[in-house]
mmCIF file of all heavy atoms in Angstrom:
data_model
loop_
_atom_site.group_PDB
_atom_site.id
_atom_site.type_symbol
_atom_site.label_atom_id
_atom_site.label_comp_id
_atom_site.label_asym_id
_atom_site.label_seq_id
_atom_site.Cartn_x
_atom_site.Cartn_y
_atom_site.Cartn_z
ATOM 1 N N PHE A 1 8.006 4.167 -13.389
ATOM 2 C CA PHE A 1 8.746 4.125 -14.642
ATOM 3 C C PHE A 1 9.669 2.917 -14.662
ATOM 4 O O PHE A 1 10.196 2.525 -13.620
ATOM 5 C CB PHE A 1 9.589 5.395 -14.820
ATOM 6 C CG PHE A 1 8.808 6.585 -15.285
ATOM 7 C CD1 PHE A 1 8.363 7.532 -14.374
ATOM 8 C CD2 PHE A 1 8.512 6.761 -16.621
ATOM 9 C CE1 PHE A 1 7.636 8.633 -14.794
ATOM 10 C CE2 PHE A 1 7.791 7.859 -17.057
ATOM 11 C CZ PHE A 1 7.352 8.792 -16.142
ATOM 12 N N PRO A 2 9.871 2.298 -15.814
ATOM 13 C CA PRO A 2 10.844 1.207 -15.910
ATOM 14 C C PRO A 2 12.206 1.689 -15.442
ATOM 15 O O PRO A 2 12.604 2.819 -15.758
ATOM 16 C CB PRO A 2 10.858 0.867 -17.406
ATOM 17 C CG PRO A 2 9.561 1.375 -17.923
ATOM 18 C CD PRO A 2 9.231 2.593 -17.113
ATOM 19 N N PRO A 3 12.926 0.879 -14.657
ATOM 20 C CA PRO A 3 14.227 1.317 -14.140
ATOM 21 C C PRO A 3 15.170 1.706 -15.270
ATOM 22 O O PRO A 3 15.358 0.963 -16.226
ATOM 23 C CB PRO A 3 14.740 0.082 -13.398
ATOM 24 C CG PRO A 3 13.515 -0.700 -13.061
ATOM 25 C CD PRO A 3 12.564 -0.462 -14.199
ATOM 26 N N SER A 4 15.733 2.897 -15.156
ATOM 27 C CA SER A 4 16.729 3.355 -16.122
ATOM 28 C C SER A 4 17.580 4.399 -15.428
ATOM 29 O O SER A 4 17.115 5.488 -15.138
ATOM 30 C CB SER A 4 16.064 3.950 -17.365
ATOM 31 O OG SER A 4 15.246 5.032 -17.016
ATOM 32 N N GLY A 5 18.791 4.043 -15.149
ATOM 33 C CA GLY A 5 19.664 4.955 -14.433
ATOM 34 C C GLY A 5 19.182 5.146 -13.011
ATOM 35 O O GLY A 5 18.771 4.211 -12.340
ATOM 36 N N ARG A 6 19.191 6.397 -12.530
ATOM 37 C CA ARG A 6 18.832 6.677 -11.135
ATOM 38 C C ARG A 6 17.714 7.713 -11.069
ATOM 39 O O ARG A 6 17.568 8.422 -10.082
ATOM 40 C CB ARG A 6 20.062 7.175 -10.383
ATOM 41 C CG ARG A 6 21.232 6.206 -10.419
ATOM 42 C CD ARG A 6 22.498 6.857 -9.887
ATOM 43 N NE ARG A 6 22.384 7.140 -8.465
ATOM 44 C CZ ARG A 6 23.201 7.960 -7.811
ATOM 45 N NH1 ARG A 6 24.152 8.592 -8.442
ATOM 46 N NH2 ARG A 6 23.056 8.156 -6.508
ATOM 47 N N ASP A 7 16.919 7.789 -12.141
ATOM 48 C CA ASP A 7 15.880 8.812 -12.204
ATOM 49 C C ASP A 7 14.507 8.248 -11.828
ATOM 50 O O ASP A 7 14.303 7.046 -11.776
ATOM 51 C CB ASP A 7 15.791 9.407 -13.617
ATOM 52 C CG ASP A 7 17.056 10.155 -13.986
ATOM 53 O OD1 ASP A 7 17.819 10.484 -13.063
ATOM 54 O OD2 ASP A 7 17.281 10.384 -15.185
ATOM 55 N N HIS A 8 13.574 9.170 -11.590
ATOM 56 C CA HIS A 8 12.158 8.832 -11.445
ATOM 57 C C HIS A 8 11.881 7.955 -10.225
ATOM 58 O O HIS A 8 11.568 6.781 -10.341
ATOM 59 C CB HIS A 8 11.638 8.147 -12.706
ATOM 60 C CG HIS A 8 11.824 8.940 -13.957
ATOM 61 N ND1 HIS A 8 11.451 10.253 -14.052
ATOM 62 C CD2 HIS A 8 12.361 8.605 -15.157
ATOM 63 C CE1 HIS A 8 11.731 10.699 -15.267
ATOM 64 N NE2 HIS A 8 12.290 9.728 -15.954
ATOM 65 N N ALA A 9 12.010 8.532 -9.048
ATOM 66 C CA ALA A 9 11.713 7.801 -7.810
ATOM 67 C C ALA A 9 10.216 7.896 -7.525
ATOM 68 O O ALA A 9 9.788 8.512 -6.557
ATOM 69 C CB ALA A 9 12.522 8.368 -6.650
ATOM 70 N N TYR A 10 9.423 7.275 -8.389
ATOM 71 C CA TYR A 10 7.974 7.339 -8.272
ATOM 72 C C TYR A 10 7.417 5.940 -8.002
ATOM 73 O O TYR A 10 7.729 4.994 -8.724
ATOM 74 C CB TYR A 10 7.341 7.889 -9.557
ATOM 75 C CG TYR A 10 7.813 9.270 -9.944
ATOM 76 C CD1 TYR A 10 8.019 9.593 -11.275
ATOM 77 C CD2 TYR A 10 8.041 10.255 -8.981
ATOM 78 C CE1 TYR A 10 8.445 10.862 -11.651
ATOM 79 C CE2 TYR A 10 8.463 11.522 -9.340
ATOM 80 C CZ TYR A 10 8.668 11.823 -10.677
ATOM 81 O OH TYR A 10 9.085 13.065 -11.046
ATOM 82 N N TYR A 11 6.548 5.874 -6.988
ATOM 83 C CA TYR A 11 5.838 4.627 -6.692
ATOM 84 C C TYR A 11 4.354 4.920 -6.841
ATOM 85 O O TYR A 11 3.736 5.538 -5.970
ATOM 86 C CB TYR A 11 6.174 4.145 -5.282
ATOM 87 C CG TYR A 11 5.494 2.842 -4.913
ATOM 88 C CD1 TYR A 11 5.747 1.681 -5.645
ATOM 89 C CD2 TYR A 11 4.601 2.768 -3.848
ATOM 90 C CE1 TYR A 11 5.129 0.485 -5.312
ATOM 91 C CE2 TYR A 11 3.987 1.574 -3.511
ATOM 92 C CZ TYR A 11 4.246 0.441 -4.257
ATOM 93 O OH TYR A 11 3.637 -0.755 -3.936
ATOM 94 N N ARG A 12 3.769 4.504 -7.956
ATOM 95 C CA ARG A 12 2.377 4.805 -8.280
ATOM 96 C C ARG A 12 1.678 3.543 -8.794
ATOM 97 O O ARG A 12 1.259 3.468 -9.951
ATOM 98 C CB ARG A 12 2.318 5.926 -9.325
ATOM 99 C CG ARG A 12 2.995 7.212 -8.857
ATOM 100 C CD ARG A 12 3.140 8.227 -9.956
ATOM 101 N NE ARG A 12 3.774 9.452 -9.478
ATOM 102 C CZ ARG A 12 4.107 10.482 -10.245
ATOM 103 N NH1 ARG A 12 3.885 10.435 -11.560
ATOM 104 N NH2 ARG A 12 4.690 11.551 -9.718
ATOM 105 N N PRO A 13 1.536 2.558 -7.939
ATOM 106 C CA PRO A 13 1.060 1.255 -8.418
ATOM 107 C C PRO A 13 -0.370 1.257 -8.923
ATOM 108 O O PRO A 13 -0.703 0.477 -9.823
ATOM 109 C CB PRO A 13 1.211 0.352 -7.188
ATOM 110 C CG PRO A 13 1.202 1.290 -6.025
ATOM 111 C CD PRO A 13 1.871 2.535 -6.501
ATOM 112 N N LEU A 14 -1.248 2.089 -8.366
ATOM 113 C CA LEU A 14 -2.631 2.082 -8.848
ATOM 114 C C LEU A 14 -2.732 2.632 -10.267
ATOM 115 O O LEU A 14 -3.591 2.214 -11.040
ATOM 116 C CB LEU A 14 -3.530 2.879 -7.905
ATOM 117 C CG LEU A 14 -3.962 2.161 -6.623
ATOM 118 C CD1 LEU A 14 -4.961 3.018 -5.859
ATOM 119 C CD2 LEU A 14 -4.576 0.800 -6.929
ATOM 120 N N VAL A 15 -1.842 3.558 -10.603
ATOM 121 C CA VAL A 15 -1.818 4.046 -11.982
ATOM 122 C C VAL A 15 -1.370 2.932 -12.910
ATOM 123 O O VAL A 15 -1.977 2.688 -13.964
ATOM 124 C CB VAL A 15 -0.892 5.266 -12.112
ATOM 125 C CG1 VAL A 15 -0.928 5.805 -13.542
ATOM 126 C CG2 VAL A 15 -1.284 6.351 -11.128
ATOM 127 N N GLY A 16 -0.306 2.224 -12.524
ATOM 128 C CA GLY A 16 0.144 1.094 -13.326
ATOM 129 C C GLY A 16 -0.920 0.025 -13.456
ATOM 130 O O GLY A 16 -1.094 -0.580 -14.526
ATOM 131 N N ALA A 17 -1.649 -0.221 -12.362
ATOM 132 C CA ALA A 17 -2.718 -1.220 -12.414
ATOM 133 C C ALA A 17 -3.826 -0.786 -13.366
ATOM 134 O O ALA A 17 -4.421 -1.613 -14.075
ATOM 135 C CB ALA A 17 -3.286 -1.444 -11.013
ATOM 136 N N SER A 18 -4.118 0.524 -13.421
ATOM 137 C CA SER A 18 -5.136 1.003 -14.354
ATOM 138 C C SER A 18 -4.674 0.821 -15.801
ATOM 139 O O SER A 18 -5.479 0.491 -16.679
ATOM 140 C CB SER A 18 -5.468 2.469 -14.074
ATOM 141 O OG SER A 18 -4.437 3.334 -14.503
ATOM 142 N N TYR A 19 -3.375 1.013 -16.055
ATOM 143 C CA TYR A 19 -2.847 0.738 -17.393
ATOM 144 C C TYR A 19 -2.976 -0.750 -17.723
ATOM 145 O O TYR A 19 -3.232 -1.117 -18.875
ATOM 146 C CB TYR A 19 -1.383 1.142 -17.482
ATOM 147 C CG TYR A 19 -1.097 2.618 -17.377
ATOM 148 C CD1 TYR A 19 0.096 3.078 -16.820
ATOM 149 C CD2 TYR A 19 -2.005 3.566 -17.841
ATOM 150 C CE1 TYR A 19 0.373 4.429 -16.726
ATOM 151 C CE2 TYR A 19 -1.737 4.920 -17.748
ATOM 152 C CZ TYR A 19 -0.540 5.352 -17.181
ATOM 153 O OH TYR A 19 -0.262 6.689 -17.089
ATOM 154 N N SER A 20 -2.801 -1.592 -16.728
ATOM 155 C CA SER A 20 -2.916 -3.035 -16.943
ATOM 156 C C SER A 20 -4.342 -3.408 -17.342
ATOM 157 O O SER A 20 -4.552 -4.229 -18.242
ATOM 158 C CB SER A 20 -2.496 -3.789 -15.674
ATOM 159 O OG SER A 20 -2.607 -5.179 -15.850
ATOM 160 N N VAL A 21 -5.326 -2.806 -16.677
ATOM 161 C CA VAL A 21 -6.724 -3.061 -17.045
ATOM 162 C C VAL A 21 -6.989 -2.584 -18.466
ATOM 163 O O VAL A 21 -7.638 -3.275 -19.267
ATOM 164 C CB VAL A 21 -7.673 -2.381 -16.043
ATOM 165 C CG1 VAL A 21 -9.116 -2.497 -16.510
ATOM 166 C CG2 VAL A 21 -7.516 -2.993 -14.661
ATOM 167 N N ASP A 22 -6.477 -1.395 -18.787
ATOM 168 C CA ASP A 22 -6.648 -0.883 -20.150
ATOM 169 C C ASP A 22 -5.989 -1.803 -21.170
ATOM 170 O O ASP A 22 -6.530 -2.023 -22.264
ATOM 171 C CB ASP A 22 -6.046 0.518 -20.263
ATOM 172 C CG ASP A 22 -6.928 1.586 -19.632
ATOM 173 O OD1 ASP A 22 -8.101 1.286 -19.351
ATOM 174 O OD2 ASP A 22 -6.448 2.711 -19.429
ATOM 175 N N ALA A 23 -4.805 -2.320 -20.826
ATOM 176 C CA ALA A 23 -4.103 -3.211 -21.752
ATOM 177 C C ALA A 23 -4.910 -4.470 -22.006
ATOM 178 O O ALA A 23 -4.936 -4.993 -23.131
ATOM 179 C CB ALA A 23 -2.723 -3.568 -21.189
ATOM 180 N N ALA A 24 -5.591 -4.973 -20.972
ATOM 181 C CA ALA A 24 -6.423 -6.159 -21.151
ATOM 182 C C ALA A 24 -7.610 -5.873 -22.058
ATOM 183 O O ALA A 24 -8.032 -6.727 -22.849
ATOM 184 C CB ALA A 24 -6.902 -6.661 -19.787
ATOM 185 N N LEU A 25 -8.153 -4.658 -21.960
ATOM 186 C CA LEU A 25 -9.347 -4.316 -22.727
ATOM 187 C C LEU A 25 -9.031 -3.810 -24.132
ATOM 188 O O LEU A 25 -9.770 -4.097 -25.084
ATOM 189 C CB LEU A 25 -10.154 -3.253 -21.979
ATOM 190 C CG LEU A 25 -10.743 -3.672 -20.625
ATOM 191 C CD1 LEU A 25 -11.374 -2.469 -19.938
ATOM 192 C CD2 LEU A 25 -11.761 -4.775 -20.790
ATOM 193 N N PHE A 26 -7.943 -3.053 -24.246
ATOM 194 C CA PHE A 26 -7.690 -2.340 -25.501
ATOM 195 C C PHE A 26 -6.349 -2.672 -26.149
ATOM 196 O O PHE A 26 -6.074 -2.178 -27.248
ATOM 197 C CB PHE A 26 -7.752 -0.825 -25.261
ATOM 198 C CG PHE A 26 -8.968 -0.383 -24.491
ATOM 199 C CD1 PHE A 26 -8.850 0.108 -23.205
ATOM 200 C CD2 PHE A 26 -10.233 -0.475 -25.046
ATOM 201 C CE1 PHE A 26 -9.959 0.510 -22.484
ATOM 202 C CE2 PHE A 26 -11.354 -0.076 -24.336
ATOM 203 C CZ PHE A 26 -11.224 0.417 -23.051
ATOM 204 N N GLY A 27 -5.516 -3.461 -25.472
ATOM 205 C CA GLY A 27 -4.210 -3.767 -26.038
ATOM 206 C C GLY A 27 -3.381 -2.510 -26.183
ATOM 207 O O GLY A 27 -3.239 -1.729 -25.243
ATOM 208 N N ALA A 28 -2.817 -2.289 -27.364
ATOM 209 C CA ALA A 28 -1.990 -1.112 -27.614
ATOM 210 C C ALA A 28 -2.751 -0.042 -28.389
ATOM 211 O O ALA A 28 -2.143 0.815 -29.039
ATOM 212 C CB ALA A 28 -0.723 -1.507 -28.365
ATOM 213 N N ARG A 29 -4.096 -0.057 -28.323
ATOM 214 C CA ARG A 29 -4.909 0.955 -28.996
ATOM 215 C C ARG A 29 -5.101 2.149 -28.066
ATOM 216 O O ARG A 29 -5.676 2.026 -26.989
ATOM 217 C CB ARG A 29 -6.254 0.377 -29.430
ATOM 218 C CG ARG A 29 -6.130 -0.771 -30.441
ATOM 219 C CD ARG A 29 -7.487 -1.192 -30.965
ATOM 220 N NE ARG A 29 -8.328 -1.742 -29.912
ATOM 221 C CZ ARG A 29 -8.293 -3.006 -29.498
ATOM 222 N NH1 ARG A 29 -7.438 -3.863 -30.067
ATOM 223 N NH2 ARG A 29 -9.099 -3.429 -28.554
ATOM 224 N N ALA A 30 -4.615 3.295 -28.504
ATOM 225 C CA ALA A 30 -4.564 4.467 -27.637
ATOM 226 C C ALA A 30 -5.946 4.947 -27.203
ATOM 227 O O ALA A 30 -6.103 5.487 -26.101
ATOM 228 C CB ALA A 30 -3.829 5.605 -28.342
ATOM 229 N N GLY A 31 -6.966 4.751 -28.039
ATOM 230 C CA GLY A 31 -8.283 5.287 -27.741
ATOM 231 C C GLY A 31 -8.847 4.820 -26.411
ATOM 232 O O GLY A 31 -9.494 5.598 -25.696
#
């Protein structure tokens, strides 16, 4: 999660990387 306060101590880089691939293919289209 984007840093905000002291919450969400999650390290999930492969999930973020999958969003990056989706962003390259689909931009901001949810489908």
Side-chain angles (χ1 to χ4, degrees):
F1 281 98
S4 59
R6 303 169 67 196
D7 295 343
H8 303 310
Y10 301 142
Y11 181 61
R12 301 170 179 175
L14 281 186
V15 183
S18 74
Y19 293 149
S20 180
V21 173
D22 284 346
L25 296 174
F26 312 111
R29 298 187 296 276

